[in-house]
């Protein structure tokens, strides 16, 4: 099977013509997770995490179009599930306390309807997460890919939808931040956005600007509500602190 | 075309895996549609609308899905046209892609480059839908 590498960014590695055989050429390094048969599953997993955290550009430039999207999906599912597990645990422990604190800020609008999940809700949520992940990742990749096409980021892309999907799978590593209680969710959100931009830039061989715009379109359209909520909560907390101090 | 040891070309393999995945997700969504109300019950309302009084660009997506889940496409399309259309295309496309992948039939490739008229068209449709949502008080 002729392997089609996503042409690496020049000048570090010379570009390969699409569909050209890489036989005889020095093998460029691959994402460790794509070499799990050689490295072993545990080592490949750990090395991939290390690479994505320490050198995300290099990590995403190592992705190959090798006809497999299932293993990257399983990689993403593992970390997403881990994040969901910790989120639910923290929610179970701190949920009521957080709600009491936020109620002091003022009217929470529609978010006031949210209640911390109980133990049964937590177990159900963790149990059905793999199914929800498959739905969310596919719809998310579709939306992001449309945005990438809208800004022209895929014009010279050596890959297509597969590259977008793989990036979204590998950025799930950011869910590791969920082990940090309370602030972990926010760190995960920011890390996911940053890694997604870097991933799209490398995989689709586009500019940082195009990748940023493509990532921010759905965030702006769909998460405008979350932004308002955060501004309201932090603004309210700041105002309360200032009035208490003054 | 299969190579001498029977493996499919990369593009075919990717297309087949994605087709099967999309099909499985579509089937799952259809199978779970009777439970849609229970799932959606825990979701908060739209804060943008709550604070500004106007629908946000994404308003109506959940309600469109719920209307389609209770087999009321007329309500979905008249009240939330773009989300309803998007859900319908997603589910139908998934069923078609899944079936074609299952049968080892070729799947169409997404274009790399969108013509400029298509880009403006998509942005225009989203804006028109947003205006419609605000005008109809979605």
């Amino acid at each position: 099977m002729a392997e089609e590498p996503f042409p690496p960014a020049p000048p570090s590695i010379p570009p390969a013509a699409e569909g050209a055989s890489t036989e005889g050429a020095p093998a460029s390094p691959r994402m460790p997770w794509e070499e799990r048969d050689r490295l072993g599953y545990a080592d490949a997993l750990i090395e991939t995490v290390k690479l994505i955290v320490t050198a995300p550009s290099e990590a995403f430039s190592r992705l190959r179009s090798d006809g497999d999207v299932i293993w990257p999906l399983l990689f993403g599912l593992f970390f997403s599930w881990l994040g969901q597990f910790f989120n639910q645990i923290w929610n179970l422990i701190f949920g009521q306390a957080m709600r009491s604190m936020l109620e002091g800020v003022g009217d929470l609008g529609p978010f006031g309807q949210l209640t911390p999940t109980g133990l049964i809700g937590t177990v159900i949520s963790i149990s059905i997460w793999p199914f929800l992940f498959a739905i969310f990742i596919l719809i998310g990749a579709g939306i992001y890919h449309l945005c990438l096409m809208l800004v022209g980021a895929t014009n010279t892309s050596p890959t297509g939808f597969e590259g977008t999907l793989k990036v979204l799978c590998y950025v799930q590593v950011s869910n590791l931040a969920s082990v940090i209680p309370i602030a972990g969710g926010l760190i995960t959100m920011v890390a996911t956005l940053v890694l997604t931009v870097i991933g799209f830039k490398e995989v689709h061989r586009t500019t940082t600007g195009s990748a940023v715009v493509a990532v921010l379109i759905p965030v702006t359209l769909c998460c405008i509500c979350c932004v308002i909520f955060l501004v309201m909560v932090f603004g309210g907390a700041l105002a309360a602190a200032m009035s208490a101090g003054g | 075309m299969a190579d001498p040891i029977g493996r499919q070309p990369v593009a075919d393999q990717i297309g087949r895996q994605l087709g099967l995945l999309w099909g499985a997700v579509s089937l799952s969504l259809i199978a779970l549609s009777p439970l849609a109300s229970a799932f959606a019950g825990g979701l908060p309302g739209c804060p943008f609308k709550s604070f500004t009084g106007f629908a946000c660009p994404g308003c109506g997506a959940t309600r469109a899905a719920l209307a389609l889940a209770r087999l009321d496409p007329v309500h979905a399309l008249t009240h939330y046209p773009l989300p309803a259309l998007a859900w319908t295309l997603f589910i139908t496309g998934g069923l078609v892609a899944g079936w074609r992948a299952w049968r080892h039939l070729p799947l169409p490739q997404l274009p790399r480059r969108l013509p400029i008229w298509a880009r403006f068209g998509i942005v225009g449709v989203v804006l028109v839908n947003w205006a419609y949502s605000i005008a109809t008080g979605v």
Side-chain angles (χ1 to χ4, degrees):
Chain A
M1 179 171 60
E3 189 179 272
E4 294 180 46
F6 299 161
S12 56
I13 304 170
E18 196 172 341
S21 170
T22 54
E23 204 175 313
S28 53
R30 304 187 61 169
M31 185 77 101
W33 184 243
E34 294 182 345
E35 294 191 284
R36 59 194 169 276
D37 290 338
R38 185 175 63 81
L39 296 171
Y41 285 75
D43 284 349
L45 194 78
I46 292 165
E47 290 303 315
T48 304
V49 171
K50 275 196 222 167
L51 191 63
I52 292 175
V53 171
T54 57
S57 291
E58 190 192 336
F60 288 113
S61 68
R62 289 184 179 192
L63 280 179
R64 296 290 177 273
S65 181
D66 58 1
D68 176 35
V69 290
I70 300 302
W71 282 100
L73 270 173
L74 291 175
F75 179 92
L77 172 62
F78 175 77
F79 286 101
S80 173
W81 205 356
L82 201 67
Q84 181 67 6
F85 175 79
F86 280 107
N87 283 337
Q88 291 298 323
I89 296 296
W90 301 140
N91 189 33
L92 206 59
I93 297 171
F94 301 115
Q96 192 57 51
M98 282 294 288
R99 186 176 161 77
S100 303
M101 190 186 84
L102 291 176
E103 276 171 354
V105 170
D107 181 23
L108 291 177
F111 284 98
Q113 301 157 14
L114 290 175
T115 52
T117 50
L119 186 61
I120 295 173
T122 300
V123 172
I124 291 174
S125 177
I126 293 170
S127 306
I128 64 169
W129 186 250
F131 166 76
L132 294 178
F133 175 78
I135 295 175
F136 290 156
I137 200 92
L138 199 63
I139 294 176
I143 292 171
Y144 272 129
H145 197 71
L146 181 65
C147 294
L148 285 163
M149 290 171 83
L150 278 177
V151 299
T154 56
N155 286 357
T156 54
S157 170
T159 179
F161 181 75
E162 178 210 359
T164 305
L165 184 66
K166 279 188 173 180
V167 167
L168 291 188
C169 290
Y170 283 110
V171 300
Q172 299 301 322
V173 163
S174 58
N175 278 291
L176 280 174
S178 297
V179 298
I180 304 167
I182 302 172
L186 193 62
I187 296 170
T188 299
M189 195 171 74
V190 173
T192 301
L193 288 177
V194 172
L195 288 176
T196 305
V197 168
I198 295 170
F200 287 163
K201 176 179 176 285
E202 294 296 331
V203 165
H204 293 301
R205 300 289 173 265
T206 187
T207 61
T208 306
S210 295
V212 168
V213 173
V215 168
L216 287 183
I217 290 173
V219 172
T220 309
L221 289 182
C222 303
C223 294
I224 198 166
C225 304
C226 300
V227 171
I228 288 173
F229 174 65
L230 287 173
V231 168
M232 185 184 71
V233 169
F234 286 109
L238 191 66
M242 285 172 72
S243 62
Chain B
M1 187 174 65
D3 69 14
I5 56 171
R7 288 183 298 190
Q8 294 170 290
V10 169
D12 288 356
Q13 281 185 40
I14 295 166
R16 183 153 195 268
Q17 287 184 359
L18 289 175
L20 289 173
L21 179 69
W22 190 5
V25 166
S26 292
L27 280 175
S28 305
L29 285 172
I30 292 170
L32 286 175
S33 59
L35 304 172
S37 300
F39 279 124
L43 295 174
C46 173
F48 185 85
K49 190 180 178 191
S50 174
F51 295 116
T52 65
F54 298 110
C56 81
C59 266
T62 309
R63 282 169 284 174
L66 289 175
L68 290 172
R70 59 172 188 267
L71 302 177
D72 191 358
V74 176
H75 179 84
L77 284 166
T78 51
H79 288 76
Y80 327 104
L82 188 58
L85 199 63
W87 278 117
T88 307
L89 284 174
F90 180 76
I91 301 284
T92 314
L95 294 177
V96 172
W99 179 76
R100 290 187 70 88
W102 185 261
R103 299 290 306 273
H104 290 269
L105 295 169
L107 290 160
Q109 298 280 317
L110 275 177
R112 293 276 196 272
R113 186 186 293 267
L114 266 187
I116 197 77
W117 59 264
R119 296 185 203 179
F120 279 106
I122 291 169
V123 173
V125 166
V126 171
L127 291 177
V128 168
N129 181 74
W130 190 14
Y132 179 81
S133 297
I134 292 172
T136 56
V138 163

